[in-house]
Amino acid sequence: MSRPKPISGYPEFLPAGRIVEQQVLDVLRETFELHGFGSIETRAVEPMDVLARKGEITKEIFTVRRLHADDEAPVPAGDQLGLHFDLTVPFARYVLEHGGHLSFPFRRYQMQKVWRGERPQEGRYREFLQADIDIVGAENLAAHHDVEIPLVALEAFERLHTELGLPPVVMHVNNRKLLQGFYEGLGIDDTAGALQRVDKFDKIGGPAVADLLTGELGLSDEVAAKCVAIAGICTGDTSFVDQVRALGVENPLLDEGLGELAELVRVAGAAVPGRLVADLKIARGLDYYTGTVYETELVGHEKMGSVASGGRYDSLASDGKVTYPGVGFSFGVTRILAPLLNRGELTATRSVPTCVLVAVDSEDTRAAAIATAGKLRARGIPTEVAPKADRFGKQIKYADRRGIPFVWFGGQTGDGADGPQSAQVKDIRSGEQVDADADSWQPPAADLHPRVGTA
């Protein structure tokens, strides 16, 4: 069999990259659970009518079909399956299906693969890992959760930065009520169309957005100019409120959105200074967002675009009797890590979890070497036994190739005529070798597990 070629859009990390990914997931998991979020996992497939039930679905959905399905028999609409393209839509279905067994407000986190028909490129993949948090209520959900969710997300990002060396972030926030009310106050009928065009502000610029608003929506130059003006407002404090007021538009929904966004910016400014800005061009493409919306960029890597996002949705999930509003946030784990790993900007100190390699004197003493390894493992020290009783020099080279920092010698012959053999442990990086006891020796804390850092 010839060497297989990689499939574009389906990244696979080497062992060192997986160590980085797992430690990132550990930080996210710990942070989420500290805030009371419980873990769920949903199935990989959903009926196609569920996947396309709500939202502006422009991505290719991968469908699922049995290899030996009857080609002649049509598949009923309810039986047509597709791989989920995000975790929010399957979560909405999960809440509807299991709502009778959940306690509300329900706080969940979820870490799973998703699949999209993206055009493969750096930062955009067809299979990737997401980590989501959501708070969902039954019939109503307090507005303060719109503030809580981004603060939890920013806390997680701060830990990823300080503990693992990932770049810091800036979160850009807006409120759909603010924009909706502003457009209604201007007399715009097609507010969704205006949102969609203003959402292109970063890609095509203000003048091009104004051309779209006048040419495609038929807005006057004056109205289009005000839409562009509000999109250009970006502040790290609540001064955006006065800037919006200065545009002379009045509407009750606009007032509500301004108040909610100002509260978020005020609280975040005190909790995580410099990490959150009010950016009034942020609209988010999916139409199920109804309130606060979030997009997050890595500082120094802004060309990657938003790597984590979310928002408030008041009617994504409903069974006709009960409506389940919520607010959520999604971390694009693969989207963040793959470019940083590929460019060597993030790395692990070693590609294996092993801290100690127990050398084998001869195959006759392998059982004793295994017993020594067992003692070290019992105290939480990742240990493996040399695969072959080679010369010690070769066993040291084996450890060096794998990045294992310590090699354990001796203590394996048991009680003989001359008594038990003493044991020593060698730091193969420095060459230092000292006497050691498997019941008490401890490696430096920094060497116990692989660490993540910048190259």
Side-chain angles (χ1 to χ4, degrees):
M1 179 179 178
S2 61
R3 177 177 295 181
K5 295 181 180 180
I7 303 177
S8 179
Y10 298 85
E12 294 178 329
F13 296 153
L14 293 173
R18 278 286 288 167
I19 286 174
V20 175
E21 182 183 59
Q22 290 302 304
Q23 292 198 24
V24 165
L25 294 179
D26 287 343
V27 169
L28 294 177
R29 183 181 300 109
E30 290 170 9
T31 305
F32 300 159
E33 293 185 354
L34 282 172
H35 287 268
F37 291 86
S39 174
I40 71 165
E41 182 170 288
T42 58
R43 62 199 184 209
V45 299
E46 297 288 343
M48 286 296 295
D49 55 355
V50 170
L51 290 173
R53 177 171 59 90
K54 188 73 173 176
E56 179 192 298
I57 308 305
T58 59
K59 305 298 183 186
E60 176 188 346
I61 297 175
F62 287 108
T63 59
V64 177
R65 193 165 183 272
R66 290 187 300 111
L67 181 62
H68 298 294
D70 186 350
D71 291 331
E72 300 299 326
V75 180
D79 295 336
Q80 295 174 2
L81 301 178
L83 295 172
H84 56 226
F85 56 83
D86 71 1
L87 299 180
T88 302
V89 172
F91 174 56
R93 187 270 311 160
Y94 179 94
V95 170
L96 289 175
E97 186 172 334
H98 302 287
H101 303 282
L102 302 177
S103 178
F104 296 95
F106 179 52
R107 305 163 71 88
R108 87 64 153 108
Y109 77 86
Q110 188 173 351
M111 300 177 177
Q112 281 184 247
K113 290 285 185 72
V114 301
W115 295 267
R116 291 184 189 175
E118 299 273 12
R119 181 173 65 84
Q121 56 185 300
E122 185 178 70
R124 292 193 177 275
Y125 311 100
R126 292 188 165 182
E127 178 184 70
F128 54 97
L129 182 66
Q130 285 190 184
D132 283 20
I133 52 173
D134 282 82
I135 304 174
V136 65
E139 293 295 359
N140 58 73
L141 185 70
H144 62 76
H145 293 300
D146 292 30
V147 178
E148 179 184 6
I149 283 286
L151 292 183
V152 174
L154 287 172
E155 180 180 322
F157 274 120
E158 285 297 288
R159 288 190 60 190
L160 292 174
H161 174 54
T162 58
E163 297 177 22
L164 302 185
L166 271 70
V169 302
V170 172
M171 184 180 293
H172 298 252
V173 300
N174 197 4
N175 192 295
R176 293 285 283 264
K177 295 177 185 177
L178 188 162
L179 292 179
Q180 179 88 10
F182 187 83
Y183 297 152
E184 289 179 359
L186 286 171
I188 298 174
D189 294 325
D190 186 2
T191 56
L195 280 170
Q196 290 171 2
R197 286 154 181 83
V198 170
D199 199 35
K200 300 176 181 180
F201 190 100
D202 272 338
K203 293 181 179 178
I204 65 177
V209 169
D211 290 342
L212 292 177
L213 293 170
T214 56
E216 297 181 1
L217 295 188
L219 303 184
S220 69
D221 290 340
E222 180 183 358
V223 169
K226 288 194 175 185
C227 291
V228 171
I230 193 173
I233 296 174
C234 184
T235 69
D237 55 26
T238 59
S239 63
F240 70 89
V241 176
D242 291 336
Q243 294 183 42
V244 173
R245 295 294 188 201
L247 295 175
V249 178
E250 296 184 0
N251 179 274
L253 192 60
L254 169 62
D255 296 339
E256 187 177 344
L258 281 171
E260 291 179 2
L261 187 59
E263 175 66 8
L264 169 56
V265 173
R266 183 188 64 78
V267 174
V272 279
R275 296 296 189 219
L276 182 143
V277 297
D279 187 345
L280 305 195
K281 64 179 175 292
I282 301 299
R284 301 289 297 137
L286 293 174
D287 66 10
Y288 52 68
Y289 290 118
T290 56
T292 315
V293 288
Y294 324 100
E295 290 191 352
T296 311
E297 293 180 334
L298 296 178
V299 175
H301 300 269
E302 288 79 7
K303 289 184 178 180
M304 289 172 59
S306 179
V307 297
S309 58
R312 174 74 175 231
Y313 44 89
D314 284 329
S315 58
L316 179 66
S318 176
D319 59 7
K321 297 179 180 179
V322 180
T323 297
Y324 298 93
V327 58
F329 192 89
S330 178
F331 296 76
V333 178
T334 305
R335 181 167 169 77
I336 293 169
L337 291 182
L340 298 177
L341 290 170
N342 290 340
R343 293 196 291 263
E345 296 180 34
L346 274 183
T347 186
T349 52
R350 58 182 187 260
S351 61
V352 295
T354 312
C355 177
V356 179
L357 176 75
V358 178
V360 178
D361 300 336
S362 71
E363 291 304 324
D364 293 338
T365 62
R366 179 170 292 278
I370 292 172
T372 297
K375 290 182 178 181
L376 293 171
R377 294 188 194 112
R379 294 190 299 106
I381 302 172
T383 306
E384 63 180 90
V385 178
K388 188 177 180 181
D390 272 326
R391 295 191 303 272
F392 282 160
K394 286 190 174 182
Q395 295 187 58
I396 291 172
K397 287 182 178 179
Y398 172 82
D400 186 45
R401 285 197 306 271
R402 290 172 55 77
I404 302 171
F406 296 98
V407 177
W408 189 280
F409 301 102
Q412 299 169 17
T413 56
D415 291 325
D418 299 324
Q421 180 182 352
S422 63
Q424 292 191 320
V425 64
K426 182 183 184 73
D427 184 335
I428 65 172
R429 299 160 300 182
S430 67
E432 181 183 13
Q433 186 165 323
V434 298
D435 292 338
D437 184 335
D439 292 317
S440 59
W441 177 83
Q442 191 71 23
D447 291 325
L448 185 58
H449 299 290
R451 290 173 292 109
V452 176
T454 54

